Amino acid sequence: MHALIVVAHHDPQSLTHGVAAHVGAGLVASGHTFEIADLAAEGFDPRYTAADHRVHRTHAAPPADVLAEQARIDRADALVLAFPIYWWSMPGLLKGWIDRVFINGWAIDYGPDTPVVKKLGHLQVHLLALGAADDSAFDRHGYAKAMRTQIDYGIFDYCGAQVVTSELLLDSESGTAQAHLKTARRIGQGVFQAETVI
C-alpha cells in the first residue's frame, strides 16, 4: 500500500522533517511505499484567493497545482501530516494546502440546497503534531481536545476521512527528539495495520 506524507516545515533539518522520514522508514520496513510532499520546498502557494472561492462555488475548474495535490492523495491509501504547532494550530502553509486542495466536488459535495456528501471515506489519516510545550501545558489548556475538534473532526471527519492516529509529540525542544523519532517509525510500521501501534 502507499502513503502520502505531507510535511509543513521550512527547515529540512527540523524535527518535523525527521519525523516524516522516520514514518517513511517504518512504512518501508513494513513493505509499503510512500511519497513525501514537502510543501515549503515545493513552493506550494497556500493563499486562498477569489479564484479558489470560484472553484469552491463550482463556477471554475481547479487550478493545476490543486489538481496535482489531489492526484497525489488519490494515489495514496493513507495520508500522514507531520507539522509543528504554531499558535495552537497547524502552520498557515498546511492550513492553506487543506483550504485549497480539500475542495467542494472532490473532498465533499455541497450545494446551498443539498446536504454535504462526504467523499473521502476511503482515506486513512495520521496526524503528527510537534509542540515545544510539555504535556501539562497542553493538558491545562485543553489543547488535545481542541486539536481533535478543529482538525480531526472539523476537517477530516467533515470529508469522511478516518483519523487513525492523532498524536501530539510534545516537549520537542527538551531532549525528546529521539523518542519522537522512534514513535514516528512505529507509527509508520503500523499505518496499514488495523490499529496503529504507538
Side-chain angles (χ1 to χ4, degrees), residues 7-17 38-43 82-84 86 91 93-94:
V7 185
H9 198 291
H10 60 278
D11 182 359
Q13 302 303 313
S14 67
L15 180 57
T16 304
H17 277 271
D38 183 345
L39 300 181
E42 294 171 8
F83 60 93
Y86 289 170
L93 177 60
L94 182 57

Side-chain angles (χ1 to χ4, degrees), residues 171-192:
D171 207 13
S172 62
E173 295 178 355
S174 301
T176 58
Q178 287 306 313
H180 291 335
L181 295 175
K182 287 179 184 177
T183 298
R185 185 177 173 93
R186 282 195 307 273
I187 289 170
Q189 290 172 324
V191 162
F192 294 114

Side-chain angles (χ1 to χ4, degrees), residues 82-99:
F83 60 93
I85 297 169
Y86 289 170
W87 292 104
W88 301 91
S89 188
M90 60 178 58
L93 177 60
L94 182 57
K95 181 61 166 63
W97 181 80
I98 291 168
D99 289 345

Side-chain angles (χ1 to χ4, degrees), residues 53 55-58 103-119 158:
H53 190 71
V55 171
H56 172 72
R57 293 290 187 197
T58 66
I103 59 173
N104 192 12
W106 181 80
I108 57 170
D109 274 328
Y110 166 79
D113 302 320
T114 59
V116 172
V117 175
K118 301 176 179 193
K119 298 184 74 172
Y158 190 71

